[in-house]
């Protein structure tokens, strides 16, 4: 299953701190040699201030109580730098920890800056020090302190770029603390800025959307309503185009959300066309399952892919959560996926066959005849299929359903916008590359 592990594709689009939970999951699943995971962790930690953690991993990896002298020196540097930043930010931190003083702040940032300078001798240098202190706290692994300071910094910051950077840091901190409701609020706030901001290049905006979607996976597969909201986000034209252009591996998560979320079926038909278009650039058992059912009508192939899907889900850091880890369901996502996948197979089977033997379906469903009959009646009702059950012959009779010619024309021309966007993005990228040379 290592061939279906997306961590190498995901990591470049995540903050290095967000990669640690993925490595922890892979280590638990034993998908790779344990020493390889430990070395990967040390590589990540080299550019953070989590020196104590790096020392512990070094001891585990090399089975020793000794640590390199460079790590000891690095720890001393981090402690000294932390004290220096703490002293620089101390006046503003003291102000923010004083409830009576904080009440003097208003919604007007310019007023706040003037008031802080006049009454408390707190100026731009101290506000910048608060940002650096918050960032350093984050790099040390103190996500709670970093989140608080970044929130307070954004309330005072008048630099839009620096404020945006602080918002990314706040989002990462909330994700790492598993504060899913707050993280979702920050995600939506960040999305609004990305969609409305004037970027120097359209490619920069596309890249920001790609980062946002990668980070959002932590939230959507842990939040109560996440499996609906991932469809709301990923299936928007601008975001779906970004996926098709630069991150087709994200189709795995959108496909999974569609399969386990029946309420979003109206958008499902267009998504199947995306799966079909992108088969050359990305496919895995989950996307191939949908292609088997809805493109090739290969039901035997779909049954085989279901087993592979189960293994992919089990070994995916976002999808393979244990029951006790789930915040919103006592049923593992894997079980929901398999149940709905079977339903997809039989719905489609019923749509393309005019007469279906009830006994054959009962055998496939592992049900007795009466239970199978009830199951099929419910299936017909919930799917709005034009069908009836012939009790005398024991068959389900499907009425032919011919699509409207105008609907067919619209369906065939809809993908042209996405293809055009993808082509223009590729041309812009090529032109920028030529200019850079």
């Amino acid at each position: 299953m290592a061939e279906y592990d997306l961590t190498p594709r995901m990591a470049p689009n995540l903050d290095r701190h967000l990669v640690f939970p993925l490595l922890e999951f892979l280590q638990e699943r034993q998908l790779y040699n344990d020493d390889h995971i430990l070395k990967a962790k040390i590589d990540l930690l080299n550019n953070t201030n989590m020196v104590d953690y790096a020392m512990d991993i070094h001891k585990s990896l090399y089975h020793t109580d000794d640590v390199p002298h460079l790590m000891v020196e690095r720890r001393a540097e981090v402690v000294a730098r932390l004290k220096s930043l703490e002293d620089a930010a101390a006046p503003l931190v003291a102000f923010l920890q004083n409830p009576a003083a904080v009440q003097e702040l208003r919604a007007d940032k310019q007023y706040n800056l003037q008031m802080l300078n006049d009454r408390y001798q707190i100026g731009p240098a101290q506000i910048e020090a608060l940002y650096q202190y918050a960032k350093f706290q984050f790099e040390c692994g103190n996500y709670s302190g970093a989140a608080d300071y970044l929130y307070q910094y954004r309330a005072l910051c008048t630099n839009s770029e620096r404020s945006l950077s602080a918002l990314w840091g706040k989002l990462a901190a909330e994700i790492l603390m598993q504060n899913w409701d707050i993280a979702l609020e920050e995600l939506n706030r960040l999305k609004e800025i990305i969609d409305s901001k004037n970027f120097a290049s359209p490619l920069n905006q596309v890249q920001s959307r790609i980062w946002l979607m990668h980070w959002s996976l932590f939230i959507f597969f842990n939040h109560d309503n996440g499996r609906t909201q991932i469809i709301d986000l990923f299936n928007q034209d601008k975001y779906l185009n970004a996926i098709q252009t630069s991150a087709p591996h994200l189709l795995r998560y959108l496909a999974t959300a569609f399969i386990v979320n029946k309420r979003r079926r109206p958008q499902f038909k267009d998504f199947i066309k995306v799966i079909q278009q992108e088969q050359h650039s990305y496919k895995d058992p989950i996307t191939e399952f949908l292609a088997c059912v809805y493109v090739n009508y290969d039901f035997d192939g779909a049954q085989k892919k279901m087993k592979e899907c189960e293994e992919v889900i089990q070994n995916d850091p976002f999808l393979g959560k244990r029951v006790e880890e789930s915040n919103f369901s006592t049923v593992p996502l894997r079980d929901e996926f398999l149940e709905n996948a079977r339903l997809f197979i039989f719905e489609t089977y019923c749509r393309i066959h005019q007469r279906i033997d009830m006994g054959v379906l009962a055998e496939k469903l592992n049900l007795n005849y009466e239970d199978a009959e009830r199951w099929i009646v419910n299936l017909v009702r919930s799917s709005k299929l034009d069908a009836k059950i012939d009790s005398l012959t024991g068959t389900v009779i499907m009425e032919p359903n011919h699509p409207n010619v105008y609907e067919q024309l619209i369906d065939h021309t809809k993908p042209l916008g996405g293809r055009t966007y993808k082509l223009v993005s590729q041309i812009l990228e090529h032109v920028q590359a030529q200019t850079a040379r």
Side-chain angles (χ1 to χ4, degrees):
M1 281 293 108
E3 66 177 299
Y4 297 121
D5 174 33
L6 295 180
T7 304
R9 296 195 189 193
M10 305 291 286
N13 297 290
L14 298 172
D15 181 274
R16 64 179 56 248
H17 290 254
L18 294 176
V19 180
F20 284 110
L22 308 189
L23 295 181
E24 292 284 352
F25 180 91
L26 295 176
Q27 188 173 18
E28 179 187 316
R29 285 291 191 269
Q30 298 182 335
L31 213 59
Y32 299 96
N33 182 283
D34 201 51
D35 286 354
H36 292 168
I37 297 293
L38 292 175
K39 288 178 181 177
K41 287 182 178 180
I42 289 181
D43 288 342
L44 280 175
L45 290 168
N46 283 339
N47 293 314
T48 73
N49 298 324
M50 299 167 68
V51 187
D52 289 340
Y53 185 27
M55 288 179 173
D56 291 339
I57 293 176
H58 183 275
K59 292 174 183 178
S60 298
L61 177 60
Y62 296 104
H63 310 290
T64 178
D65 290 332
D66 298 326
V67 295
H69 185 65
L70 287 176
M71 282 189 173
V72 177
E73 290 181 344
R74 171 68 176 153
R75 188 183 189 282
E77 291 173 4
V78 168
V79 172
R81 177 63 176 160
L82 180 61
K83 182 66 171 64
S84 172
L85 290 172
E86 186 177 8
D87 292 342
L92 183 50
V93 170
F95 169 85
L96 293 169
Q97 291 176 344
N98 183 344
V102 170
Q103 288 182 353
E104 298 183 52
L105 295 174
R106 299 180 183 177
D108 185 345
K109 288 187 179 181
Q110 294 299 331
Y111 168 85
N112 293 335
L113 294 176
Q114 190 65 44
M115 183 272 293
L116 285 171
N117 188 62
D118 294 344
R119 300 184 191 177
Y120 297 93
Q121 292 73 54
I122 295 174
Q126 287 74 32
I127 295 173
E128 173 64 18
L130 181 65
Y131 173 82
Q132 296 297 337
Y133 184 48
K135 188 173 184 294
F136 203 85
Q137 289 278 12
F138 181 88
E139 293 297 341
C140 289
N142 180 10
Y143 305 123
S144 177
D148 289 341
Y149 292 136
L150 288 171
Y151 171 78
Q152 292 160 342
Y153 170 79
R154 292 192 72 244
L156 299 171
C157 177
T158 56
N159 183 311
S160 60
E161 290 297 328
R162 184 55 68 86
S163 180
L164 180 60
S165 175
L167 184 55
W168 279 106
K170 176 77 159 52
L171 173 60
E174 299 297 352
I175 289 173
L176 289 161
M177 291 188 292
Q178 300 184 18
N179 294 333
W180 305 123
D181 288 335
I182 300 175
L184 181 61
E185 292 175 7
E186 304 295 1
L187 181 78
N188 290 332
R189 190 171 289 117
L190 194 52
K191 177 185 180 298
E192 290 179 11
I193 295 174
I194 291 171
D195 288 345
S196 60
K197 184 176 181 292
N198 290 323
F199 284 82
S201 162
L203 294 177
N204 293 341
Q205 189 173 38
V206 170
Q207 184 59 61
S208 294
R209 289 188 174 122
I210 290 170
W211 287 338
L212 188 76
M213 287 187 283
H214 280 84
W215 292 35
S216 74
L217 295 175
F218 291 95
I219 302 168
F220 290 143
F221 287 103
N222 283 284
H223 194 274
D224 289 354
N225 200 33
R227 299 177 193 177
T228 297
Q229 293 181 348
I230 189 175
I231 296 175
D232 291 336
L233 177 63
F234 284 31
N235 209 50
Q236 291 180 30
D237 287 343
K238 293 177 181 178
Y239 286 83
L240 191 56
N241 287 333
I243 291 175
Q244 292 180 265
T245 303
S246 305
H249 55 276
L250 292 179
L251 291 173
R252 170 186 294 182
Y253 303 102
L254 185 53
T256 300
F258 268 117
I259 291 173
V260 300
N261 192 329
K262 302 175 188 176
R263 289 177 295 176
R264 292 290 166 158
R265 199 60 62 84
Q267 302 162 328
F268 188 61
K269 188 176 180 181
D270 289 335
F271 178 66
I272 292 300
K273 293 176 182 177
V274 173
I275 291 290
Q276 187 176 9
Q277 292 168 10
E278 298 301 323
Q279 280 183 314
H280 66 284
S281 60
Y282 177 79
K283 60 183 178 181
D284 63 27
I286 295 176
T287 62
E288 287 180 309
F289 166 79
L290 290 177
C292 283
V293 176
Y294 292 100
V295 179
N296 305 321
Y297 303 115
D298 177 8
F299 300 106
D300 290 336
Q303 289 279 10
K304 294 176 182 176
K305 287 297 173 186
M306 280 179 62
K307 181 63 178 175
E308 294 179 24
C309 288
E310 184 176 6
E311 294 182 8
V312 168
I313 290 171
Q314 281 285 83
N315 292 292
D316 186 286
F318 298 104
L319 307 178
K321 303 175 69 62
R322 297 191 300 268
V323 177
E324 61 267 25
E325 292 176 330
S326 176
N327 293 334
F328 51 82
S329 175
T330 57
V331 180
L333 184 143
R334 178 198 67 225
D335 293 351
E336 291 184 65
F337 181 97
L338 294 177
E339 176 63 25
N340 286 339
R342 293 187 187 99
L343 185 62
F344 278 28
I345 290 174
F346 286 109
E347 282 182 342
T348 308
Y349 188 84
C350 289
R351 289 182 189 277
I352 65 174
H353 290 82
Q354 188 171 0
R355 186 178 294 270
I356 307 160
D357 185 272
M358 194 89 69
V360 173
L361 283 181
E363 184 178 349
K364 287 181 177 289
L365 291 168
N366 196 26
L367 297 172
N368 60 46
Y369 190 92
E370 289 76 15
D371 288 343
E373 186 174 19
R374 281 194 294 271
W375 188 89
I376 293 168
V377 168
N378 290 333
L379 177 63
V380 169
R381 287 175 179 169
S382 63
S383 301
K384 300 179 181 179
L385 296 176
D386 191 3
K388 61 182 179 180
I389 296 176
D390 187 338
S391 299
L392 293 177
T393 60
T395 57
V396 180
I397 302 172
M398 309 299 300
E399 296 295 333
N401 182 20
H402 301 294
N404 184 288
V405 64
Y406 298 106
E407 291 178 355
Q408 287 182 306
L409 180 61
I410 291 172
D411 288 343
H412 280 90
T413 56
K414 227 179 228 182
L416 292 177
R419 293 176 188 172
T420 303
Y421 181 91
K422 187 172 182 178
L423 180 60
V424 170
S425 297
Q426 290 172 340
I427 293 172
L428 285 172
E429 186 175 4
H430 178 72
V431 170
Q432 286 192 338
Q434 292 293 330
T435 304
R437 291 176 187 174

